[in-house]
Amino acid sequence: MPYPPWTSVDDAARLLQDGQVVAIPTETVYGLAGNAYNPDALAKIFAAKERPTFDPLIVHIADIAQLQDVAQDIPDAAYRLAEAYWPGPMTLVLPKKDCIPDLCTSGLPSVAVRFPSHPVAQEIIKKSGLPLAAPSANLFKHVSPTTAMHVAEQLSDRIAGIVDGGPCQVGVESAIVSLLGEIPTILRPGAITAEMVEKVLGKVKLGISSSKPGQPMTAPGQCDTHYRPQVPLYYGPITKDIQLPPRTARIAFGNTEGVVPETVNLSKTGDLVEATAKLYALMHELDKPEYDLILVDPIPDSGLGMALNDRLKRASIKHLP
Ligand code: TXA
Ligand code: MG
């Protein structure tokens, strides 16, 4: 690995003003940030990640008032959700302002906006004086980074800087809520759960992940192979008589028996917050040549568990080898 371009908050702000891309910590996952108004900076983000330009970026702000710099015709519902859950792991999809380049939104008339709670992210946004477009700071389709070292392993020689803000406390990407239609739609489950959004806005619906080839993705992770480690990961039902490779690692959840001994545990007490914070770090840890398969125990599919199930289903191979 090339020596990582570790960077201070002040240098990061200057690099961002200069149109460079810099990895920054947030409470969900590390983001690869660039000036959201600058198409050259946006192009550098897509290039560094090898991300197709039909997958739009999330714009990060550091003040609710800054929403007006990037979005327009903002409904009251957006302010109610913002008051309740910003700063925090929730992204709102709203009609975009013209100053946001098409490259940022993959040509969509809407923009995804988030006000992160991580103090270092807020400082960088404020010091740069810019809204920052930032996808997760990993190569396209790979596991998202929850430490600065995860970023360094994948992107060191491709980006201008990495700011180390410690391990991410939430551990999975933000919940994405579209406020474009009559009924608010959860496009990606996250730590702000559907129930939490319902509490503020009343009824919500869950988005359908279907996209047509060649069209911009309006719900994330529509690529079936999103979030995948290099070592095949399997998340699904298994029977006791199944033949598994001898070098199978098991990510356990709670105090459960599995077909192989547990290698690591997401949370011995079955705590979903702890499990979410650890999931990507454990996926990175087991993504090593000494393993042929990673098995993950079933996790309850409600509340915060919905975010884990969403990511694990996409990370999983469809059938056991
Ligand atoms: O927690 C997070 O959201 C992290 C941190 C860095 O903030 N960022 C993140 O970005 O997860 P990314 O690029 O991995 O996910 C962005 C997703 C895309 O998959 C895209 O489909 C969706 O947000 N998105 C962006 N703009 C959208 C829009 N206008 N309408 C619908 N979905 C949009
Ligand atoms: Mg991502």
Side-chain angles (χ1 to χ4, degrees):
M1 178 176 84
Y3 190 75
W6 303 124
T7 309
S8 69
V9 165
D10 287 322
D11 285 342
R14 272 191 290 273
L15 287 165
L16 289 161
Q17 287 166 346
D18 188 39
Q20 303 297 314
V21 299
V22 177
I24 65 167
T26 85
E27 72 279 18
T28 57
V29 300
Y30 274 72
L32 185 57
N35 177 354
Y37 295 140
N38 179 343
D40 290 341
L42 300 171
K44 284 179 192 160
I45 294 175
F46 285 103
K49 278 185 63 100
E50 297 178 23
R51 174 175 171 132
T53 52
F54 56 76
D55 193 2
L57 307 175
I58 294 173
V59 175
H60 296 67
I61 58 176
D63 193 331
I64 294 178
Q66 212 180 347
L67 200 47
Q68 290 171 39
D69 297 347
V70 297
Q72 60 184 359
D73 305 325
I74 303 166
D76 183 50
Y79 288 107
R80 280 159 54 209
L81 278 182
E83 292 294 342
Y85 302 123
W86 272 357
M90 175 185 72
T91 294
L92 300 179
V93 176
L94 296 162
K96 90 173 181 75
K97 258 195 153 166
D98 289 344
C99 54
I100 297 294
D102 284 337
L103 186 53
C104 185
T105 64
S106 303
L108 291 169
S110 57
V111 62
V113 192
R114 182 161 104 78
F115 176 0
S117 65
H118 198 298
V120 176
Q122 292 182 6
E123 226 186 312
I124 295 170
I125 298 164
K126 283 194 183 131
K127 285 201 169 159
S128 71
L130 297 164
L132 299 178
S136 50
N138 53 281
L139 291 170
F140 185 59
K141 290 187 179 178
H142 284 56
V143 180
S144 298
T146 55
T147 66
M149 198 46 89
H150 294 156
V151 180
E153 281 161 8
Q154 291 191 25
L155 298 175
S156 276
D157 54 350
R158 295 167 175 242
I159 60 180
I162 302 174
V163 180
D164 188 348
C168 303
Q169 305 244 298
V170 174
V172 291
E173 299 83 353
S174 59
I176 301 183
V177 186
S178 170
L179 296 175
L180 298 177
E182 282 280 292
I183 302 171
T185 308
I186 313 281
L187 298 178
R188 177 171 73 184
I192 302 301
T193 61
E195 292 82 359
M196 290 166 77
V197 176
E198 264 176 354
K199 229 167 132 183
V200 178
L201 296 185
K203 203 174 160 39
V204 303
K205 54 181 184 180
L206 300 182
I208 320 139
S209 297
S210 63
S211 76
K212 299 191 184 74
Q215 290 191 359
M217 292 195 223
T218 51
Q222 288 172 345
C223 293
D224 263 0
T225 56
H226 231 80
Y227 314 110
R228 267 191 192 178
Q230 307 293 301
V231 174
L233 176 150
Y234 182 74
Y235 181 67
I238 39 173
T239 49
K240 281 242 185 277
D241 55 345
I242 199 102
Q243 277 287 346
L244 295 169
R247 303 189 312 162
T248 295
R250 172 172 158 232
I251 301 184
F253 175 72
N255 193 8
T256 48
E257 299 268 309
V259 287
V260 296
E262 76 172 48
T263 312
V264 290
N265 202 313
L266 284 167
S267 165
K268 288 203 189 288
T269 57
D271 180 66
L272 285 169
V273 173
E274 183 191 357
T276 306
K278 275 162 73 174
L279 177 68
Y280 288 154
L282 295 183
M283 282 166 69
H284 279 283
E285 189 182 313
L286 299 179
D287 196 10
K288 300 279 151 62
E290 51 262 43
Y291 298 112
D292 293 322
L293 183 71
I294 301 169
L295 267 187
V296 187
D297 280 5
I299 293 166
D301 195 12
S302 60
L304 183 51
M306 286 178 77
L308 295 177
N309 274 276
D310 171 69
R311 307 311 189 274
L312 283 166
K313 281 177 192 158
R314 294 179 201 283
S316 178
I317 49 172
K318 296 294 161 243
H319 306 281
L320 278 167

